Structures are given as C-alpha cells and as structure tokens.
C-alpha cells in the first residue's frame, strides 16, 4: 500500500472534510436560528473543523500502520486472525499488484481512480433489506405477526384504559374519587380547603372574591367553558390553551382540584364589588345546551352544526355568537362584514375564508355536510341576545321581511374617528385593556395609567398611541394595530389620557419615568 504525502492526502480527502463542515455548519445555523445567539455559529464551526482534522489524521495514521505491517518480513508476520480473514472477505479488495489492471484512464491532478466492484459487505446489507422487506410485508399485511398503526393505536388505548381503571381503583381505595361521578358538595371542610387553594393560586387573575380581573367573573351564571362541576374541574385540571389559564394538574392534586372546583361553585351568586361583566354563555343547571342559538329552528335539528361551531368557531365568535374584539364579528345582528348575510354568502365565507383575516378557508377541514350544518346554526343566531355582543360591523343586510330592527340605523353609523368621542374609547378600553390595567386604570398586570409616570412611552399622546400600535416586545402589551383601526386607536388613546389625575380604587405603584 502506498502512503501518500500528508498534504496530497489532505487534498485528496478534502471533499469529505468540506461535506462534514457543511453538514455541521447547517446544524449550527439551525441552532443559531432557534437560540438566536451569535456565538453558536463560531463554536459549531470550530468543532466541525477540529473533528475533520482529527478524522484525516486518524485515516492517515491507519495507512501508515498498515504500510508498516505489510513491510514486515514474511516470516515475522503473525498468522492472520479470524477477524482479519473476515475483513478480507467482506472487503475483497484487489491486490496492489493488480491495481494497474483496474486503473481507469482519468487523471485528476495526480489522483487516479480504480474500477473496484461493490464490496461484499455492502451487497450483504442490500440483500438483508430485501429479505426484511418481504418479512415486513408478510408480517404486517398477511399473517398479522406485527400490528399496523391502527392496531397499535387500539392496543395503546386499551392499555391506557386499563391503567386509568387501575388508577381510579387505587384512588378509590385511598379515599379518593371517580372524576366521572363528580358532584358538587357544600361540605364546610371541603369549601374551606378550596378557599385556601383559591386564595393561593387563583386570586391574581380572578380576584379575591372571584369577580374577575384578568380572568373572567366566576360569581355569575355565564361560563365560557361550561358551568357544571365537571366542566370546572376539567378546566382547572387541563387548563385552556392559548390563555393565562394554565394546567393545574401539575401543581395541585386531584383532591385539591376537587376542593377548589367546589369552592368556585360555592361563590356563585355572591356578587362581589367591581365584578367584571358576564362572559360566555348563560349556564342553567340541567340544561342540555347553553348556547343561545342551539334551539331547533326551521332549519331542522341544529345539533350537528352546534358541534362543528363549538369546536371550530367559538374561539373567535364566542359560544353565543357575540363575537370577540379584534377577532370574529358578532353573528347575532343584521350587519355582515364579509358576506351579504344570505345563506349563500355565509356558506361561501366559511368555505373560502377571508384573505388577510383570521377567517381561514374551512373546506379543507370540513366536508360539505358540516359546512351546511354550521351555516344553518349560524343563521339561527339571528335575533338572539348574546351576553357581551360586539359592536355591529359591515353593512346592514335586509331580507324581504319587514323588520323594525333592520330599520334602525347601525350603532356605528357615525364616524368613530372623532377624537373627542371618549365613550367609544371607553368601550374599546373596557373590552381590551381593563384586564391588565383595570377598569379605572389603576393597573395590575399592566402599569398604572392615572399617574404621571410612564414606563414605555414619554406620556405624550403620540407616545401612548405608538405604544398601542406597536406594543412592547417581551411583555404582555401586544401590538393592537392588527385588531383596532386608526380611529379606534385614536379614541382609546384619548380615553387613556382622560384617566390622568383620577384616583383609582387600588392604584399600582408608579413605574418608569416622571412625565411633566
């Protein structure tokens, strides 16, 4: 075996080095994108270069060792081991004295190419994959030796159900309870324990008396995610995705969740001071449906449409169709933003979506029957009264029927761009800002807006407006330019300025710099 000059050797194997550097550099770039750190690229590149150099040195050293071994006198060589014989068979390289016979005619800067056949070990692996493919086909699709994905899922679900039953049985033996049979109880000891848990974990968002701050009011009969004891237990246990309501099962035991759920049921109807307005749908004990539009109308049985709506639409339009500020419009009035209010228009909007908005095209996720069902259900909302209806948007849709409501002028007929319209600003503030700054501006998650100290602006009208439009990175203050139009931002800015110098009930300590 010929030992190459180290520099020629490095140049000959340079493509391996470049390949490894590119692979590891790509991994480093990905890590940089995820971690957003400038030093990551340098570290990964340095490690890649070092690894390649070590590899080249190791290969070159191996060539030297092989050369020295072959240069030993014939009589001094030890008898070949079984391993070396196996390697000789597995590689089946051409002897050095026969290399001239398989040398190809190209010459790349002194580098020549041998026309070697595939090594036997590579062929063996290829044959093994063919054999395994046959075994896989027979085992999965003909004999049932191995379960398919659906069968694996069913097996896993059966095992999970067995584990669940075992856990419930063990819980019952330990004096626990079965969640499926959970019922409200006004036991004094349980209510007291739930009150303590509520005080430690829930008052930050729901207030000391449950009247709501950042989280909804828990003392009225309106519920966003259901008002039964089982619904409350589930929400506390599992949380609500994309909200501040976290999954409490990681911090509270099932018994503690049961206690705090019973306490939440216990405080219903207490009417604390400064309670938030109702949110969600009116819940009546024993009612099969809490949605205002779920009654059977001339469209027939709307239960299928309700299921589709509750699962896919309620997040933006609320369960009772009243709409969510900055997301979906009110579906209960006669004003339509992206359709003409006819059945065909509503169906088209659901199927095709609205470009540039949160209203996506649902025809890829829902079949024609489901779109028809949810269209009928949405039309059944007309004339109902949601708990917290959003202001009308779009144009008035009038049918051939005489309707006194349709003859009324829309609530937003007057331009909302009037800077002095503090009522409009107050309404926008209450719907979007009070959760963090309180209704009187005293501040809770967000800063106090009534003093002369400003954290993220200079206190001028332009500074406040800029903060509302652009938000504050790294805080809960989002950019409202996507949810509010220019006139609405103008109105809420003026309302915030009107809060200066007022005296809130529980003002937060000053933050930021004094603005004079």
């Amino acid at each position: 075996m010929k030992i190459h000059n180290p520099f020629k050797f490095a140049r000959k194997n340079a493509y391996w080095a470049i390949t490894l550097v590119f692979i590891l550099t790509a991994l480093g770039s990905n890590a940089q994108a995820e971690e957003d750190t400038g030093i990551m690229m340098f570290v990964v590149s340095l490690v890649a270069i070092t690894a390649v150099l070590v590899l080249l040195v190791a290969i070159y050293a191996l060539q030297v060792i092989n050369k020295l071994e072959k240069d030993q006198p014939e009589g001094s060589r030890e008898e070949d081991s079984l391993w070396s014989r196996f390697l000789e068979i597995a590689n089946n390289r051409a002897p050095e004295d026969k290399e001239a016979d398989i040398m190809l005619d190209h010459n790349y800067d002194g580098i020549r190419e041998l026309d070697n056949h595939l090594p036997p070990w590579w062929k063996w692996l290829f044959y093994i994959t063919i054999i395994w493919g046959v075994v896989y086909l027979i085992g999965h699709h003909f004999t049932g030796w191995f379960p398919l994905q659906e069968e694996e899922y069913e097996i896993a679900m059966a095992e999970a159900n067995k584990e669940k039953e075992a856990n419930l049985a063990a819980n019952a033996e330990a004096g626990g309870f079965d969640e499926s049979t959970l019922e409200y109880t006004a036991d004094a000891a349980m209510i007291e324990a739930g009150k303590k848990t509520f005080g430690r974990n829930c008052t930050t968002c729901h207030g000391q008396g449950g009247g709501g701050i950042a989280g909804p009011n828990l003392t009225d009969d309106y519920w966003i995610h259901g008002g039964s004891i089982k619904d409350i237990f589930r929400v506390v246990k599992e949380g609500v995705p994309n909200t501040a309501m976290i999954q409490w099962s990681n911090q509270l035991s099932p018994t503690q969740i049961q206690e705090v759920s019973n306490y939440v049921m216990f405080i219903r109807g207490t009417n604390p001071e400064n309670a938030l307005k109702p949110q969600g749908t009116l819940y009546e004990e024993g009612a099969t449906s809490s949605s205002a539009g779920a009654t059977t109308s001339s469209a027939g049985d709307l239960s299928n449409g309700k299921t589709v709506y509750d699962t896919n639409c309620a997040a933006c339009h609320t369960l009772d169709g009243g709409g969510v500020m900055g997301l979906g419009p009110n579906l209960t009035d006669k004003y339509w933003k992206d359709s003409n209010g006819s059945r065909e228009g509503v169906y088209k909007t659901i199927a095709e979506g609205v470009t540039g908005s949160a209203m996506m095209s649902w025809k890829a996720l829902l079949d024609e029957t489901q779109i028809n069902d949810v269209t009928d259900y949405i039309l059944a909302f007309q004339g109902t009264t949601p708990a917290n209806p959003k202001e009308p948007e779009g144009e008035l849709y009038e049918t051939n029927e005489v309707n006194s409501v349709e003859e009324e002028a829309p609530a937003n007929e007057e331009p909302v761009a009037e800077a002095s319209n503090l009522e409009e600003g107050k309404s926008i503030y209450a719907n979007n800002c009070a959760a963090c700054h309180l209704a009187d501006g005293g501040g809770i998650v967000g800063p106090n807006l009534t003093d002369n100290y400003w954290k993220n602006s200079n206190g001028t009208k332009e500074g406040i407006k800029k903060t509302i439009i652009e938000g504050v990175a790294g805080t809960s203050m989002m950019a409202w330019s996507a949810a509010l139009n220019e006139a609405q931002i103008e109105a809420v800015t003026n309302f915030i300025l009107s809060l200066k110098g007022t005296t809130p009930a529980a003002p937060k300590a000053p933050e930021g710099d004094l603005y004079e």
Side-chain angles (χ1 to χ4, degrees):
M1 178 183 288
K2 180 180 179 181
I3 301 179
H4 298 281
N5 180 281
F7 295 104
K8 288 185 177 179
F9 176 82
R11 184 174 59 186
K12 181 179 179 181
N13 293 276
Y15 69 97
W16 292 107
I18 293 171
T19 301
L20 284 172
V21 168
F22 271 123
I23 292 173
L24 292 173
T25 302
L27 293 175
S29 299
N30 186 52
Q32 183 188 25
E34 293 179 354
E35 300 295 335
D36 194 24
T37 168
I39 201 168
M40 182 65 72
M41 191 70 170
F42 171 77
V43 173
V44 173
S45 300
L46 184 62
V47 171
I49 294 171
T50 305
V52 169
L53 290 176
V54 170
L55 180 62
L56 293 176
V57 171
I59 295 173
Y60 185 74
L62 184 61
Q63 281 198 343
V64 173
I65 293 171
N66 287 338
K67 175 64 177 174
L68 293 175
E69 188 179 47
K70 287 190 175 183
D71 287 345
Q72 289 182 356
E74 194 68 30
S76 65
R77 290 188 187 180
E78 296 181 1
E79 186 177 349
D80 290 341
S81 63
L82 291 176
W83 177 249
S84 62
R85 292 177 185 172
F86 169 77
L87 290 179
E88 186 175 351
I89 295 172
N91 292 298
N92 195 20
R93 295 193 186 96
E96 284 190 37
D97 53 359
K98 298 286 183 70
E99 286 185 352
D101 299 337
I102 58 173
M103 187 80 71
L104 296 177
D105 56 357
H106 13 276
N107 186 323
Y108 299 104
D109 198 18
I111 301 173
R112 304 293 299 275
E113 182 182 0
L114 299 179
D115 188 17
N116 277 312
H117 53 70
L118 285 173
W121 64 264
W122 195 97
K123 297 178 183 178
W124 297 342
L125 289 176
F126 181 65
Y127 299 145
I128 289 172
T129 59
I130 295 175
I131 295 170
W132 169 245
V134 174
V135 173
Y136 183 93
L137 181 66
I138 296 173
H140 276 290
H141 297 282
F142 291 99
T143 63
W145 293 340
F146 315 118
L148 292 170
Q149 286 183 333
E150 294 84 355
E151 295 170 338
E152 287 181 347
Y153 172 76
E154 292 173 358
I155 292 171
M157 290 300 295
E159 291 176 353
N161 288 330
K162 287 182 180 178
E163 184 178 351
K164 178 182 177 181
E165 291 173 1
N167 290 337
L168 289 175
N171 195 28
E173 290 178 4
F177 59 92
D178 182 355
E179 295 176 20
S180 63
T181 61
L182 188 64
E183 293 182 357
Y184 169 65
T185 175
D187 177 72
M190 179 172 289
I191 297 300
E192 186 61 29
K195 182 178 180 180
K196 292 179 180 178
T197 302
F198 185 91
R200 287 193 301 268
N201 301 284
C202 313
T203 54
T204 302
C205 289
H206 295 284
Q208 196 68 37
I213 301 175
N217 182 354
L218 301 177
T219 65
D220 57 29
D221 290 322
Y222 289 83
W223 295 83
I224 301 174
H225 305 288
S228 69
I229 183 67
K230 292 179 182 178
D231 291 330
I232 297 171
F233 185 96
R234 173 180 52 79
V235 170
V236 176
K237 178 183 177 182
E238 301 175 3
V240 179
N242 302 319
T243 72
M245 184 61 189
I246 68 172
Q247 177 181 332
W248 285 98
S249 58
N250 297 327
Q251 302 183 41
L252 302 178
S253 68
T255 301
Q256 289 176 309
I257 296 176
Q258 181 192 25
E259 292 167 348
V260 78
S261 299
N262 276 276
Y263 176 73
V264 170
M265 292 284 289
F266 178 78
I267 62 175
R268 188 177 296 179
T270 53
N271 299 320
E273 293 183 4
N274 299 319
L276 294 183
K277 293 180 179 179
Q279 294 174 271
T281 307
L282 177 64
Y283 173 78
E284 297 177 359
E285 196 69 38
T288 56
S289 172
S290 58
S291 180
T295 56
T296 301
S297 68
S298 58
D301 184 4
L302 301 177
S303 59
N304 292 333
K306 173 180 169 17
T307 301
V308 176
Y309 179 90
D310 289 353
T311 304
N312 301 286
C313 314
C316 291
H317 297 281
T318 71
L319 285 170
D320 57 7
V324 177
M325 182 65 69
L327 292 176
N330 183 353
L331 302 176
T332 67
D333 56 26
K334 298 292 184 181
Y335 293 85
W336 294 87
K337 188 177 179 183
D338 302 302
S339 76
N340 59 8
S342 66
R343 191 184 189 287
E344 293 74 18
V346 175
Y347 181 98
K348 182 180 178 183
T349 300
I350 297 170
E352 300 179 2
V354 179
T355 305
S357 75
M359 183 62 188
M360 57 180 277
S361 170
W362 286 96
K363 61 185 176 183
L365 299 175
L366 304 177
D367 59 35
E368 186 176 352
T369 301
Q370 290 174 310
I371 296 177
N372 273 308
D373 290 341
V374 76
T375 298
D376 289 333
Y377 182 73
I378 289 172
L379 291 172
F381 276 131
Q382 291 293 295
T384 61
T385 306
N388 192 20
K390 194 177 177 184
E391 291 294 321
E393 298 176 78
E395 298 178 359
L396 177 64
Y397 173 70
E398 295 180 311
T399 62
N400 294 328
E401 299 177 3
V402 178
N403 191 321
S404 60
V405 176
E406 294 173 348
E407 295 172 358
E408 296 178 5
N412 61 346
E413 186 173 296
E414 293 184 6
V416 294
E418 293 291 334
S420 61
N421 189 356
L422 295 182
E423 281 301 315
E424 177 69 16
K426 182 178 180 180
S427 175
I428 296 170
Y429 179 90
N431 288 325
N432 300 280
C433 315
C436 290
H437 296 283
L438 294 184
D440 58 6
I444 177 168
V445 178
N448 183 354
L449 302 177
T450 66
D451 57 26
N452 288 319
Y453 289 83
W454 294 87
K455 190 176 179 183
N456 301 303
S457 77
N458 57 8
T460 63
K461 181 176 180 179
E462 290 72 21
I464 296 171
K465 186 184 292 188
K466 183 171 185 276
T467 301
I468 296 172
I469 293 172
E470 300 178 0
V472 180
T475 73
S476 58
M477 181 61 188
M478 60 178 272
W480 286 94
S481 55
L484 303 177
N485 61 35
E486 186 177 350
Q488 290 172 317
I489 294 174
E490 177 79 14
V492 77
T493 301
N494 284 319
F495 178 74
I496 291 172
L497 288 170
S498 74
L499 293 174
K500 279 188 179 182
T502 59
T503 306
K508 195 174 178 183
E511 298 177 79
D513 298 323
L514 177 63
Y515 171 72
E516 295 178 322

